[in-house]
Amino acid sequence: MKVVILCGGYGTRIRDVAADIPKPMIPVGPYPILWHIMRYYAHWGHKEFVLCLGHLGHVIKDFILNYQARVADTTVVFGEQTKVIYHTNHDALDWRVTLADTGANAMTGARLRRVRRYVGDEEFLFTYGDGLGDVDLGRLVAFHRERGKLLTVTGVRPPGRFGELEADAAGNVVEFNEKPQSSGGLISGGFFVCSPRVFDYLPDDEGLSFEYEPMRQLVREGQMGVYRHEGFWQPMDTQRDHLLLNQLWSSGRAPWKAW
């Protein structure tokens, strides 16, 4: 299945980490978070990507177009016709990546609408370029097909940001959990599976947010399902999130590293 990834936002809440590169290019370890997301999908056999570019999209284009030169030993033969030879290495990829300019100011629904021609008439996967998880993509796709909805969203519990106290009536602390996973309701963690009919819910409007009217209309029509994921999920919205993901990677305990 093709994987559509939103890569065009401004990332205003994480500008203190990097203001001169788009959010999907902020590094986790030696590679941008976008690379980690793509590696995860590719591990599950989904190796055709459509990247919805916008703000500083040329940075993502440069990374993808020059990826082989970054990771492979390279021989350059100069002459009338310069020849570049990339030597096989451990990180050779067999991906197909479409880099689509979806506009500097377009919202998520508009960006998705603008890549319809690259997606075609088959069901596809859809996610954000700033979140990681260990979602079982095989079960997610199977769940989507079993339920027969037009859209399936992965429901996650938001990661806790503060220590959680539990006290008795006398004011004694009886339990303390440092930054636990929230016990509240589910939120959207991205990792969508979509029928191509989802495009019928996307009018031509640059300000269209996929998360508002299109998803609400699908809910009203009973066409949206939720796949519950109780494992790891972590967005990269703030500097704290960025530090956490990098700590997990450097410690060798990154839950999303399946390859």
Side-chain angles (χ1 to χ4, degrees):
M1 296 171 67
K2 291 180 180 177
V3 184
V4 177
I5 306 179
L6 292 171
C7 301
Y10 282 88
T12 53
R13 287 180 292 180
I14 200 169
R15 288 287 181 86
D16 51 346
V17 174
D20 58 343
I21 58 175
K23 191 177 182 183
M25 289 300 294
I26 294 177
V28 175
Y31 294 103
I33 189 171
L34 175 62
W35 177 88
H36 292 266
I37 296 168
M38 295 171 75
R39 286 298 296 256
Y40 190 77
Y41 274 94
H43 168 76
W44 288 91
H46 307 292
K47 300 179 180 182
E48 288 192 62
F49 300 94
V50 179
L51 305 187
C52 302
L53 307 184
H55 176 62
L56 296 175
H58 67 278
V59 179
I60 298 175
K61 277 191 175 183
D62 288 346
F63 175 78
I64 296 296
L65 291 172
N66 296 301
Y67 182 77
Q68 268 191 294
R70 290 172 182 268
V71 300
D73 292 340
T74 308
T75 297
V76 181
V77 182
F78 293 99
E80 189 172 322
Q81 291 186 334
T82 301
K83 183 178 181 180
V84 179
I85 302 170
Y86 298 111
H87 300 281
T88 303
N89 66 17
H90 66 283
D91 204 32
L93 302 176
D94 56 347
W95 302 351
R96 180 186 177 94
V97 183
T98 299
L99 301 155
D101 182 0
T102 55
N105 300 309
M107 299 298 285
T108 53
R111 293 191 190 283
L112 179 57
R113 175 188 168 88
R114 291 174 182 178
V115 299
R116 181 172 190 170
R117 59 177 170 162
Y118 301 119
V119 174
D121 296 323
E122 299 178 358
E123 61 185 4
F124 61 97
L125 300 164
F126 178 45
T127 196
Y128 303 103
D130 62 356
L132 293 166
D134 61 354
V135 179
D136 187 320
L137 297 181
R139 290 185 177 181
L140 169 62
V141 172
F143 177 88
H144 172 77
R145 290 171 175 170
E146 288 168 4
R147 300 300 293 273
K149 306 293 184 181
L150 299 186
L151 177 69
T152 297
V153 59
T154 298
V156 300
R157 299 195 184 279
R161 296 187 181 276
F162 305 99
E164 184 179 84
L165 293 168
E166 185 175 336
D168 60 20
N172 301 307
V173 174
V174 295
E175 187 174 349
F176 175 75
N177 294 310
E178 175 61 16
K179 297 180 177 64
Q181 189 178 55
S182 170
S183 57
L186 297 175
I187 64 171
S188 168
F191 293 93
F192 299 96
V193 187
C194 308
S195 160
R197 289 173 56 196
V198 164
F199 287 111
D200 297 337
Y201 293 76
L202 305 178
D204 187 7
D205 176 4
E206 188 172 67
L208 180 70
S209 291
F210 182 69
E211 300 79 7
Y212 286 90
E213 187 53 31
M215 287 180 65
R216 289 173 179 173
Q217 183 64 30
L218 286 162
V219 171
R220 287 193 291 269
E221 295 181 11
Q223 288 295 336
M224 182 171 158
V226 59
Y227 173 79
R228 294 174 179 267
H229 173 62
E230 300 291 348
F232 174 84
W233 176 81
Q234 178 64 53
M236 190 178 66
D237 289 331
T238 65
Q239 183 181 41
R240 174 198 169 276
D241 298 335
H242 176 249
L243 290 173
L244 172 61
L245 291 171
N246 273 278
Q247 288 167 358
L248 288 171
W249 180 264
S250 61
S251 70
R253 296 184 292 109
W256 66 89
K257 190 178 186 303
W259 56 90

